[in-house]
Amino acid sequence: MVVLIDAGNTFVKAVIWDGKAFENLIRIPTKEAEQSFPLKGKKAIISSVVPSLKRTFEEAFESVTFINVSIPLPVRIDYKNPERLGADRIALACGVLDYGDSGIVVSAGTTVVVDIVIEKTFIGGIILPGVKAIHRALNLVTEQLPEVEDKFTDTFPGKSTAECIKAGTTLAMKGAIKEITQKYPELPVIFTGGYGNKLRESMGKGIYDPFLIFKGLVKISEEK
Ligand SMILES: Nc1ncnc2c1ncn2[C@@H]1O[C@H](COP(=O)(O)OP(=O)(O)O)[C@@H](O)[C@H]1O
Ligand SMILES: CC(C)(COP(=O)(O)O)[C@@H](O)C(=O)NCCC(=O)O
C-alpha cells in the first residue's frame, strides 16, 4: 500500500494506492499541511511544487520518493531547464500515457497549465494565472476593481463589474486552450485540477480526469 501525494500551491491531495484502485482521496489546504499532516505510513510517492513541505513528508513516511527529472520516467522531458519543471507537470505528462502516447493536459488549479505530450515526450506548454490569481491581481493593480469570488463561471457578456471580471477570466482561459488544442486536433485533451471539470464543461469537449496526476505517479513507480 502506497500513499500518493499531489502537493499543489493551494491544496495537498492524497490517495491510497493498493495496486488496483485509488482510495480515500483527501484534500488539505497547503497552508495547513505544514502544521499537521494527517497521513502517516511506510511509503509515499510525492509530486510537490511546494518545497517547504519536504520535511513534513519526510517525517510522516518511512520512505519517500519525490518526483523530479533525475529519477527514471516513462516520458522524455524536452524542456530548457528540465530540473526547473514542476513535479506536477512531470507527473501529469506521465498520466497522459493512460490515454495513449500523446495528449494535452489542462490542469486548472492555482495556475492553469496546458502541457503537450507527443509520442511519450513532454514538449512544453503554457502557464497562466488561475481564477483566484487573476481576480487578486486585478484588485491589486486598480483602484476600482473589487476582488471577486474565486469561482469559475461562464456568463457572457458581463453586465456588472464582477460579471465582466469573471467573463474575462473564463474567456482568457478558454481562448488559450482553444488556440493550443486547435494546433493538435488529433490529440486527446485531458482536464484536471480544482476547476478542471467546470472548464471542460465550458469548453464542451475533452475528458475530465481528477486522478490524472495519481495515474502518472503510478506509471512512474512502475518505471523504477
Ligand atoms: N468552481 C471553482 N471555480 C473556481 N475555482 C475553483 C473552483 N473549484 C476549485 N477552485 C479553485 O481551484 C484551486 C485549487 O485547485 P487545485 O487543483 O487543488 O490547485 P493546486 O493543485 O494548485 O493546489 C483553488 O484556487 C480553488 O479555489
Ligand atoms: C506551474 C506551477 C506553479 C503549477 O502549480 P499548481 O498551479 O499546480 O499549484 C508548478 O508546476 C511549478 O511551480 N512549476 C515550476 C516552473 C515550471 O514548471 O517551469
Side-chain angles (χ1 to χ4, degrees):
M1 212 129 79
V2 184
V3 178
L4 306 176
I5 298 175
D6 162 23
N9 283 289
T10 307
F11 286 105
V12 176
K13 283 78 64 183
V15 292
I16 293 167
W17 168 246
D18 64 6
K20 288 195 190 103
F22 302 118
E23 286 171 12
N24 302 342
L25 174 68
I26 62 156
R27 221 162 79 116
I28 314 147
T30 302
K31 286 202 170 80
E32 285 172 25
E34 204 168 335
Q35 266 67 53
S36 74
F37 191 69
L39 293 174
K40 306 254 173 292
K42 280 211 161 117
K43 193 169 163 18
I45 302 174
I46 302 170
S47 153
S48 174
V49 295
V50 190
S52 56
L53 284 175
K54 189 167 187 269
R55 226 171 104 196
T56 302
F57 295 134
E58 283 171 346
E59 284 171 2
F61 298 95
E62 285 170 29
S63 136
V64 285
T65 303
F66 288 102
I67 301 311
N68 63 74
V69 284
S70 62
I71 66 171
L73 297 170
V75 295
R76 205 172 70 79
I77 304 294
D78 179 8
Y79 206 56
K80 281 188 182 158
N81 303 99
E83 66 289 346
R84 300 292 297 273
L85 181 62
D88 55 350
R89 301 176 71 190
I90 298 172
L92 289 165
C94 297
V96 165
L97 302 184
D98 220 50
Y99 294 86
D101 287 354
S102 308
I104 300 175
V105 174
V106 180
S107 172
T110 314
T111 67
V112 176
V113 168
V114 185
D115 283 333
I116 318 292
V117 178
I118 307 272
E119 291 173 1
K120 295 192 180 175
T121 299
F122 171 97
I123 65 158
I126 65 163
I127 302 171
L128 280 174
V131 173
K132 193 172 190 164
I134 297 179
H135 291 172
R136 190 173 288 176
L138 289 175
N139 173 245
L140 275 176
V141 298
T142 63
E143 286 209 13
Q144 294 208 109
L145 297 185
E147 188 172 339
V148 298
E149 59 178 343
D150 176 18
K151 265 229 157 84
F152 180 89
T153 50
D154 202 356
T155 318
F156 177 81
K159 289 197 180 289
S160 66
T161 309
E163 278 183 19
C164 287
I165 291 171
K166 289 184 199 169
T169 306
T170 305
L171 283 184
M173 288 178 184
K174 287 174 67 176
I177 294 165
K178 212 167 170 183
E179 183 86 12
I180 294 172
T181 52
Q182 276 171 355
K183 288 190 204 296
Y184 304 93
E186 70 290 356
L187 298 192
V189 184
I190 309 137
F191 291 79
T192 194
Y195 50 96
N197 198 20
K198 286 242 155 50
L199 194 51
R200 193 218 69 84
E201 271 172 24
S202 179
M203 294 294 297
K205 55 183 170 187
I207 303 155
Y208 171 60
D209 185 345
F211 294 106
L212 187 67
I213 196 161
F214 298 120
K215 290 177 179 174
L217 294 179
V218 171
K219 297 254 178 235
I220 295 169
S221 73
E222 288 167 352
E223 194 69 12
K224 287 178 36 167

